[in-house]
Amino acid sequence: MFRTALRNVLAHKARLLMTVLAVMLGVAFVSGTLVFTDTLGNAFRNQSAKSYDNVAVAVTTYADQRDEKTSGITTATLNKIQGLDGVDTATGRVRGFAGVADPDGKLIGNGWSNTGSNFSPGKNGKDSAYTFVDGKGPDAADRIALDEQTAKKGKYQVGDAVRVATNGPVKEFTLAGVFTTEDGTVNAGGSLVLFDTPVAQKLYLRPGEFQDVDIAAAAGASDEKLLADVKPLLPKNAEAKTGKALADEQAKQIQKGLSGLNGMLLAFAAIALFVGVFLIANTFTMLVAQRTKELALMRAVGASRRQVKRSVLLEAAVVGAIASVIGFVLGLGLATGLRSVMSQFGGKIPAGPLIVSPTAVAAAFGVGVLITVLAAWLPARRAAKIPPVAAMNSVHATATVKSLVLRNSVGGALTLLGGAGIVAGAADGSGGRTIIGVGAFFALVGVIVLIPLLSRPVIALVRPLLKRLFGVSGKLAAQNAVRNPRRTGATASALAIGLTLVTGISVLGVTLGQAVDRMTTDNIKADYMVSMASGGSLDTSALTALEKADGVSAVSPRQDAWLRVGEDHLGASGVTPDALSKLFVIKTVSGSIDSLGNGEIAVSEDTAKSNHWKTGDTLPIVFDDDKKEKVKVGAVYEDNEFLSSALVSTDLLASHTTHADIREVWLKMDGGESAANEKALVKALGDNPAMSIIDRQGIRDMFGGFINTALNIMYGLLAMALIIAVLGVVNTLAMSVFERQQEIGMLRAIGLDRRRVKRMIRLEAVVISLFGAVVGVALGVFLGWAIGETLKSDIPDYALVLPWDRIGIFLVLAALVGVLASLWPARSAAKLNMLTAIKTE
């Protein structure tokens, strides 16, 4: 039976090639994902471990320049640590934001990963954390060192002047040296600026204090003993751990971070494989149909049902194994390609070998063979059930009425159950997403089961149109599309699954994008928003400079503050009262926003309701300096997404705050947005590369741009499932042409020319593709609506938007898919010799 199975595999190379392609793509995605994440995890773990090679104990304080209550490690404490037995060196570190401008004044890097630290040389004049490839470390206040990649991007050489931005004004330094390092931010594509230690302390903490300390052990010293000796010397807020413990923690965090990416990519691989099941099942159904008499003869000469079934499953296993081998090799290429793509987009991945784990190999071959065998199980079962005599007298084994009734009953029940679950989840709000997920699964399975039943009435609707437009070819195409509902349903199901996901994602994405756009338009009057590229706080000097800029008619910071009322904490925005109404759309429910100028507080409507506050109430507020002050509620306003749940004047906060936490500055300009006004702001800020000046469109893009990016990524990942669906259409048409050779020969004999035969096959493909697309679009819209209902409470002014333009594109693409998929089968049908075809049994 094995030899028979192998012979049959080799006898149907063309059609089995499509099955191999379907399985191969899925296996490539699975193996590529596992190899890529294993390689990525191993590289980052090795880098993390290497960065702690010379660290026996690491001390962390989380001290911050703006928080005077949290102390760092003083120089005196550092000296005590250095004097402990077993300590070789104790190196103090401070760290914060530092952005380097390129020769054009633009920021090198992405902001969040641009860092600055201190150069801390030992007795030998070297800092073990950095290896200099040119020059030396900074030894004066006006000197810095840059990492090698940043120096290359900025085309800087030792001795050049470099403009560096921290949280204050831009300063110019002389480049003293260029270094390499295992620092994680640099390896992630960021930049690192090294300052002289006193300069770094003044920039990021306080003179004479360090945020962290790295301790290297002398030869033979115990890390655990050092840890025990160091702990009593540290302030209460400090945390000390061994270098090994920190390396292990980082390894776990890396693994956790990669697991999300791994899960997402594997989910799309699963979708592709699920779509591939329909193609594989169709292929083996076709092969069984072609070999009906052969199988019957095998039964007649003594082969048992089990042997026939085993023969078909063995074919599937051979095909799955071949596809798995090719897919695994492609997966290795995919993993290598993903690594290169990440590097191209600035994500520097540490050097390391490609990791091919036994799990990746087992998963690739297990998935490939298992999926193929499972998909072939039903065709194999049908082949085994064919009675020898009946099979010899019949070309095709038709489904019994009982089986169709059972199938449709099960499909109807599953669809109703899934639909009810989706509606129930939508009604449940934000807590109903899991219910929707379960309901979507049952609904999708139910519709797939029902698709053969749905194909007849749906395709019957377009039959008159096809006949009117394309004559006999159109009529025959519509009839052929429903000739075998099971096969048509399986083909349409593959397209339906892909388009259900694509349409659902599109509905959600467009709806959320327009909601964000409305939120921006409805809540903002300002022309520009200024913030730090790093996402950190702006220095008060930036606010002062912007207030004096040419053309500014209104300016207000959004200063973050946490106020305590009783046992509860209240997030507040510090603003300039006179400018507020010129910069934001604020709708008052009661009171007046102008009351902020009198030292009163305004609270959002939701906050007022939840705390039972009203205009005129007096609140006992505890500020950041732990001083209590009674403040009157001067206004209640409708919630604004760009402001906190409470508003106070910056003057009131100034009397309780040493360091203002200014996250953004909002501006209104004479003449609105213009190149001249933006240039005036850049000039006022001293051409600071670390400060982002964003106009209204930029604000929209900032809040809604990630939605479009996510949509494009989803489309790209789902493209593989749609490619497999196209192969399914090709397969179905090839099978249809094979079964109808005699019929096509007769049609040719009575006058249907080759052009009309091709048109008939093309129209059949378009009908099947559009049928699957319509089902998928309908399901996708339904799911998009349901998930949107669970997001309503979190998104103001949420309203469902149907992207008709994209839906139209999906349908056009589905028709195009049909045309492309029909090229080979149509050509084959047109080339049939009519006399030979008529004689075919």
Side-chain angles (χ1 to χ4, degrees), residues 275-291:
V275 172
V277 165
F278 296 96
L279 170 56
I280 298 163
N282 254 359
T283 300
F284 280 92
T285 299
M286 175 173 62
L287 295 177
V288 167
Q290 290 179 9
R291 292 160 44 208

Side-chain angles (χ1 to χ4, degrees), residues 520 523-531 538 543 546-547 552-559 573-576 579-580 582-584 640-643 662-669 681 694-696 699 702-703:
T520 307
N523 290 301
I524 296 175
K525 294 181 182 177
D527 296 316
Y528 293 99
M529 180 187 82
V530 176
S531 62
L538 286 159
L543 175 60
L546 290 169
E547 288 172 338
V552 173
S553 59
V555 58
S556 173
R558 188 183 72 80
Q559 180 178 334
S573 292
V575 295
T576 304
L580 194 62
K582 299 175 184 177
L583 300 169
F584 298 96
N640 186 305
E641 293 301 311
F642 294 91
L643 297 170
I662 301 173
R663 292 292 165 174
E664 300 141 13
V665 176
W666 296 82
L667 302 109
K668 189 75 176 173
M669 306 286 287
L681 296 179
I694 308 173
D695 59 16
R696 289 172 66 87
I699 295 168
M702 182 175 65
F703 285 93

Side-chain angles (χ1 to χ4, degrees), residues 375-725:
W377 183 79
L378 273 178
R381 186 169 173 269
R382 290 195 194 108
K385 290 174 69 176
I386 298 172
V389 175
M392 289 180 186
N393 293 327
S394 174
V395 177
H396 307 295
T398 57
T400 63
V401 175
K402 179 182 176 182
S403 69
L404 290 174
V405 170
L406 179 63
R407 177 191 179 111
N408 294 336
S409 300
V410 171
L414 288 173
T415 304
L416 288 174
L417 179 64
I422 293 170
V423 172
D428 195 33
S430 58
R433 289 166 199 160
T434 303
I435 301 172
I436 289 175
V438 174
F441 174 77
F442 282 110
L444 195 58
V445 172
V447 169
I448 288 169
V449 174
L450 280 178
I451 272 186
L453 176 68
L454 295 173
S455 63
R456 289 185 181 277
V458 172
I459 294 175
L461 293 175
V462 298
R463 188 181 298 167
L465 180 63
L466 290 172
K467 184 179 179 181
R468 189 176 303 114
L469 293 176
F470 303 103
V472 174
S473 296
K475 180 180 178 181
L476 290 172
Q479 290 175 342
N480 292 332
V482 293
R483 173 174 291 190
N484 190 327
R486 285 180 185 272
R487 192 189 315 133
T488 298
T491 306
S493 295
L495 277 171
I497 293 167
L499 281 171
T500 295
L501 297 171
V502 170
T503 305
I505 290 168
S506 296
V507 169
L508 268 181
V510 172
T511 299
L512 292 175
Q514 292 200 16
V516 169
D517 194 58
R518 283 195 303 272
M519 180 180 73
T520 307
T521 306
D522 295 347
N523 290 301
I524 296 175
K525 294 181 182 177
D527 296 316
Y528 293 99
M529 180 187 82
V530 176
S531 62
M532 290 294 293
S534 63
S537 299
L538 286 159
D539 191 77
T540 51
S541 61
L543 175 60
T544 304
L546 290 169
E547 288 172 338
K548 297 176 182 178
D550 294 338
V552 173
S553 59
V555 58
S556 173
R558 188 183 72 80
Q559 180 178 334
D560 280 358
W562 283 96
L563 313 177
R564 196 166 76 247
V565 183
E567 296 299 320
D568 298 324
H569 284 81
L570 180 66
S573 292
V575 295
T576 304
D578 294 342
L580 194 62
S581 59
K582 299 175 184 177
L583 300 169
F584 298 96
V585 177
I586 299 182
K587 300 174 183 177
T588 53
V589 178
S590 61
S592 172
I593 289 294
D594 294 337
S595 62
L596 293 174
N598 302 324
E600 297 178 1
I601 188 172
V603 295
S604 67
E605 188 175 13
D606 285 349
T607 302
K609 285 180 180 178
S610 61
N611 291 282
H612 306 291
W613 295 337
K614 61 183 183 300
T615 303
D617 288 351
T618 301
L619 307 180
I621 295 177
V622 179
F623 290 84
D624 286 342
D625 58 358
D626 290 331
K627 291 181 180 178
K628 184 183 285 187
E629 190 173 328
K630 291 186 177 180
V631 181
K632 184 179 177 182
V633 177
V636 175
Y637 60 91
E638 292 183 11
D639 290 69
N640 186 305
E641 293 301 311
F642 294 91
L643 297 170
S644 301
S645 53
L647 301 175
V648 293
S649 72
T650 51
D651 291 339
L652 179 59
L653 289 178
S655 60
H656 297 282
T657 307
T658 306
H659 297 284
D661 187 8
I662 301 173
R663 292 292 165 174
E664 300 141 13
V665 176
W666 296 82
L667 302 109
K668 189 75 176 173
M669 306 286 287
D670 295 332
E673 301 171 41
S674 68
N677 279 338
E678 187 170 338
K679 189 175 181 181
L681 296 179
V682 171
K683 183 180 178 182
L685 292 170
D687 198 16
N688 192 325
M691 293 187 185
S692 298
I693 301 171
I694 308 173
D695 59 16
R696 289 172 66 87
Q697 185 57 49
I699 295 168
R700 290 191 187 102
D701 294 341
M702 182 175 65
F703 285 93
F706 73 96
I707 296 174
N708 291 327
T709 301
L711 275 177
N712 291 333
I713 291 171
M714 297 290 187
Y715 290 155
L717 292 172
L718 287 171
M720 186 176 62
L722 294 175
I723 289 170
I724 295 173

